[in-house]
Amino acid sequence: MLQEISIKNFAIIEEIHISFENGMTILTGETGAGKSIIIDAMGLLLGGRSSSDFVRTGKDKAEIEGLFFAEENKELEQRLEDLGLESSSELILRRVMSILFFIASFSYVGDASVDFPHQFGKHCAA
């Protein structure tokens, strides 16, 4: 269960920290208050596809961090074990999105660091 989420420089959010209690949580507010942005941030924290467009204008990176209470969750324990990670009662997930180094940048750097022949051509190390 998500206990806390911290969001920095994400879309229109400069910085926010939200703590959740046990039970159901409902986000309410006026149109444009940022409810959907908080939901988008949660989705990214859980592995959703990102974009440099999410980084707040004028900032180099956005950060989302979540604290999860993971006690007695057998499925989560198994998935952590599958990844070679230890299970504990708390899990912290952190995601950083940068406008300086996005997917195109990975390709640009990767092309210069690996000699990788494949069916449609060849990536060569420089």
Side-chain angles (χ1 to χ4, degrees):
M1 184 172 95
L2 181 62
Q3 294 293 305
E4 299 176 6
I5 188 167
S6 295
I7 305 168
K8 295 179 185 173
N9 300 322
F10 184 76
I12 63 168
I13 296 174
E14 184 174 357
E15 186 170 347
I16 189 170
H17 179 84
I18 304 170
S19 295
F20 300 98
E21 300 294 327
N22 289 337
M24 185 171 78
T25 300
I26 299 173
L27 296 175
T28 64
E30 296 180 24
T31 301
K35 301 175 299 292
S36 295
I37 294 171
I38 293 169
I39 298 300
D40 288 344
M42 288 180 182
L44 288 172
L45 185 62
L46 298 174
R49 189 169 173 89
S50 183
S51 164
S52 60
D53 294 337
F54 286 126
V55 179
R56 184 177 166 90
T57 302
K59 301 296 181 181
D60 292 335
K61 65 181 178 179
E63 298 176 44
I64 306 166
E65 184 172 283
L67 171 64
F68 295 83
F69 182 67
E71 195 169 279
E72 298 181 20
N73 184 332
K74 298 298 180 193
E75 182 179 359
L76 178 58
E77 288 176 15
Q78 182 60 53
R79 290 182 184 202
L80 292 172
E81 185 179 309
D82 291 347
L83 293 169
L85 302 171
E86 288 185 34
S87 179
S88 72
S89 63
E90 292 183 342
L91 174 67
I92 297 173
L93 296 179
R94 185 168 187 245
R95 182 135 185 208
V96 177
M97 291 140 296
S98 173
I99 61 170
L100 300 178
F101 201 84
F102 244 77
I103 292 180
S105 301
F106 284 106
S107 175
Y108 179 71
V109 171
D111 285 349
S113 60
V114 176
D115 185 7
F116 179 61
H118 59 86
Q119 180 178 353
F120 301 107
K122 185 176 180 179
H123 292 282
C124 296

